[in-house]
Amino acid sequence: MRSGIGSAADLARLGVEPLVDLPAVGMNLADHPLAIIRFALRPNARASSLRTPPYGCGLRMTSSLGQPNDLVMYAGNVGESVAEGVVGVAVMRPFSRGRMTIVSADPMVEPLIEFEMLEEGRDADRLREGVRHAIDIVRHRAFSVVLDKVLDPSDKILADDAALTSWIIEHCDAHLHPGGTCRMGSSEDPRSVVDPECQVIGVSGLRAIDASIMPNLPRAATHLTAVMIAEHMAERLARDG
């Protein structure tokens, strides 16, 4: 954007000379919305230190909306203290989209980042379903030797859709998997920033090769997919000279 590639009108208002009018730059921002459930651990199940790796195992599931593997749960035996355990529940196929934009031509001024997570109702519905399912799992008698009780959310919140939705919105956080702001697609699609060769549309010799080009996030952390994109394009550029 500070180089003049983006929404021409928005850039001009900030004193940036527009070179390529590409309004989709910064749009389509996505992350996996994550909510943390807190549990009281029995003394025998507590970690010896907060330095213990937080997550020990994960579980994938498909929500009632039918998007395969669209929910994931991570269990850990370290929370705000060693007396707490946690289960993180995340929506891995989010529909909500936000945006990133600059607010100044000065590179020292931070951009405005708006994830707008859970704005799409289906994301909130699935996260609510995932939280309830996770609590059903840990309340199974097999977990009674390590878990004492659920600390948050309370039974009263769990029993009411509106209350649980409010709790999810209040506790929702980014999963540190942002991407999508330079969306790949057809050069004829106004939502696109790069074409299938990672070439920035309307700009010769400029490519974006990272997680920003993903139209949709993978149903996992973005790291390996970003590495695959980079390796694939490195091989193609080396081959084509």
Side-chain angles (χ1 to χ4, degrees), residues 60-119:
R60 289 187 176 274
M61 66 171 284
T62 297
S63 74
S64 59
L65 288 183
Q67 293 284 328
N69 293 325
D70 59 346
L71 289 169
V72 68
M73 305 171 192
Y74 302 101
N77 61 342
V78 171
E80 295 182 2
S81 72
V82 294
E84 289 185 11
V86 297
V87 169
V89 181
V91 176
M92 303 306 284
R93 184 65 168 85
F95 294 103
S96 301
R97 291 293 185 272
R99 65 193 294 260
M100 185 283 295
T101 188
I102 59 172
V103 296
S104 169
D106 184 351
M108 300 305 293
V109 176
E110 293 185 358
L112 176 65
I113 301 172
E114 300 175 298
F115 281 104
E116 303 291 352
M117 288 186 295
L118 305 183
E119 283 297 305

Side-chain angles (χ1 to χ4, degrees), residues 19 61 67 88 112 149 169 210 238:
L19 300 179
M61 66 171 284
Q67 293 284 328
L112 176 65
K149 61 181 178 180
I169 292 172
D210 56 25

Side-chain angles (χ1 to χ4, degrees), residues 189-204:
D189 188 338
R191 300 173 299 169
S192 302
V193 175
V194 301
D195 65 18
E197 298 296 319
C198 294
Q199 182 81 37
V200 177
I201 297 168
V203 184
S204 177

Side-chain angles (χ1 to χ4, degrees), residues 203-217:
V203 184
S204 177
L206 178 63
R207 286 181 166 87
I209 305 174
D210 56 25
S212 70
I213 72 171
M214 300 174 185
N216 294 298
L217 297 178

